[in-house]
Amino acid sequence: AKKALELFRTHVSDPAALAGKKAHPAMSMCVPIMIILKCCSSGGEPYADLSTDVVYMLNRNDPVWVETTCLAFLDAAWSTMCAQACMCLVKITGCNSQLQDKSSALTKEGLKCLEESVNTLKKEDGTIVNSMAH
């Protein structure tokens, strides 16, 4: 996980940050991916910008088109990635007495993301719309 985080920073997130507004809009997907990688490489321990990541995940206000655009162009479910990022943060915040109050909120946010994912990725009859993203 540490090597993956290093490579992601070197080849994706750092160049996107340098490009600023010229970066591809899909680069916003870097945030949950980066959170997942940081959580996995921290060994379950709090890391330097953990509180910033918690605030980001709890205050997201994604436009509706983000989910469908990610599915259409990237075969990735934005809500599923956000749910995974929330659950990774829960593992760390739940064991930290200073952040335990955030753990419950992250769990609720993660479940909300999963519900959105199910609603987006399955038709009413239960057929899966995009098996890659599901």
Side-chain angles (χ1 to χ4, degrees):
K2 287 181 183 182
K3 184 66 175 174
L5 177 60
E6 177 188 324
L7 290 169
F8 193 81
R9 280 188 174 136
T10 302
H11 299 289
V12 181
S13 64
D14 290 353
L18 288 173
K21 294 187 184 222
K22 294 182 210 169
H24 192 278
M27 288 298 105
S28 63
M29 293 181 75
C30 288
V31 178
I33 294 169
M34 200 63 159
I35 291 171
I36 293 164
L37 290 172
K38 286 190 279 187
C39 288
C40 291
S41 56
S42 77
E45 296 297 320
Y47 52 88
D49 53 349
L50 174 65
S51 58
T52 303
D53 290 345
V54 169
V55 168
Y56 174 84
M57 291 311 298
L58 292 177
N59 293 305
R60 289 176 20 266
N61 192 13
D62 305 320
V64 175
W65 57 264
V66 171
E67 185 78 15
T68 52
T69 302
C70 287
L71 284 172
F73 293 103
L74 305 170
D75 278 339
W78 173 252
S79 54
T80 303
M81 282 190 291
C82 289
Q84 185 175 359
C86 285
M87 295 302 116
C88 287
L89 290 169
V90 165
K91 286 181 184 177
I92 296 173
T93 58
C95 298
N96 185 319
S97 59
Q98 295 174 332
L99 296 170
Q100 276 185 334
D101 60 320
K102 300 292 184 195
S103 187
S104 172
L106 284 164
T107 300
K108 288 178 186 171
E109 182 64 23
L111 290 172
K112 186 177 98 177
C113 290
L114 286 176
E115 185 176 322
E116 182 181 335
S117 192
V118 167
N119 292 338
T120 304
L121 298 172
K122 283 188 178 180
K123 293 181 183 177
E124 286 182 25
D125 67 359
T127 332
I128 295 174
V129 174
N130 185 321
S131 59
M132 286 293 287
H134 196 270

